[in-house]
Amino acid sequence: MLILRLSKAAMVLAVALFASLVAFGNITDYGSNFAFVKHVLLMDTIFPDATIKYRAIEAPWMHHAAYIFIIALETLTAILCWIGGFRLIAARALPRREFHEAKGWAIAGLTLGFLTWQVGFMSIGGEWFGMWMSETWNGVPDAFRFFITIIAVLIYLVTPDGEPV
């Protein structure tokens, strides 16, 4: 049972590392990834005859606000997953109930990560702003990979550990 619990903790920590690297990259290379957000919101590279261009946001301050919000969500995802992963490690030898209770931070972090990439990138960016129509600024495939990985870890984390009650 110990190996299963350590496996769950390691997977949560792997997501924490991923979210940390994404947030770090966005903070330290602000301009590169800001361009992505800006062009998605401007909708300037979607199909020329698309009738959804009225949804575009042209105010530069809104581009920065959206990007800072995304970075905040990625950072919070990382923090929650780091705390959650280390709490799982600390609870690895505790009875089932206590180990289960230690999952809260990890569940919160994984859920926020899922929502960041599924709702933020896939739903809002991909569908509302038509990001899927852009050959240059289409982040849908990447977002899909990210949130599928995160949801798989979340599902694995919440499965029962198989020990008796």
Side-chain angles (χ1 to χ4, degrees):
M1 202 50 50
L2 181 61
I3 192 69
L4 182 63
R5 289 178 174 191
L6 288 173
S7 170
K8 289 180 179 189
M11 290 193 178
V12 172
L13 292 171
V15 173
L17 176 62
F18 169 75
S20 296
L21 293 173
V22 171
F24 180 77
N26 285 340
I27 292 166
T28 60
D29 189 14
Y30 188 91
S32 294
N33 292 309
F34 173 72
F36 173 86
V37 173
K38 175 183 161 186
H39 287 288
V40 168
L41 296 178
L42 284 172
M43 302 175 74
D44 58 353
T45 62
I46 67 170
F47 299 159
D49 58 346
T51 60
I52 63 169
K53 288 187 178 182
Y54 70 91
R55 301 174 187 171
I57 296 175
E58 296 180 3
W61 74 268
M62 292 283 290
H63 303 159
H64 287 283
Y67 188 43
I68 290 167
F69 184 64
I70 290 166
I71 293 170
L73 292 174
E74 294 163 347
T75 303
L76 186 55
T77 295
I79 291 167
L80 292 171
C81 286
W82 282 118
I83 294 168
F86 286 120
R87 286 185 54 114
L88 292 172
I89 290 172
R92 70 190 178 277
L94 295 177
R96 184 172 134 184
R97 179 187 233 39
E98 285 85 357
F99 182 76
H100 179 70
E101 289 171 359
K103 294 177 181 180
W105 289 89
I107 291 170
L110 295 168
T111 301
L112 182 59
F114 173 84
L115 293 172
T116 298
W117 279 283
Q118 199 287 324
V119 174
F121 287 88
M122 192 81 159
S123 299
I124 296 173
E127 290 303 317
W128 182 255
F129 290 105
M131 182 171 62
W132 65 270
M133 291 185 237
S134 175
E135 289 184 26
T136 310
W137 304 106
N138 182 4
V140 170
D142 293 324
F144 181 77
R145 272 196 324 272
F146 300 162
F147 79 74
I148 289 298
T149 300
I150 292 170
I151 196 73
V153 173
L154 180 58
I155 291 167
Y156 178 54
L157 175 65
V158 299
T159 58
D161 297 331
E163 58 188 59
V165 179

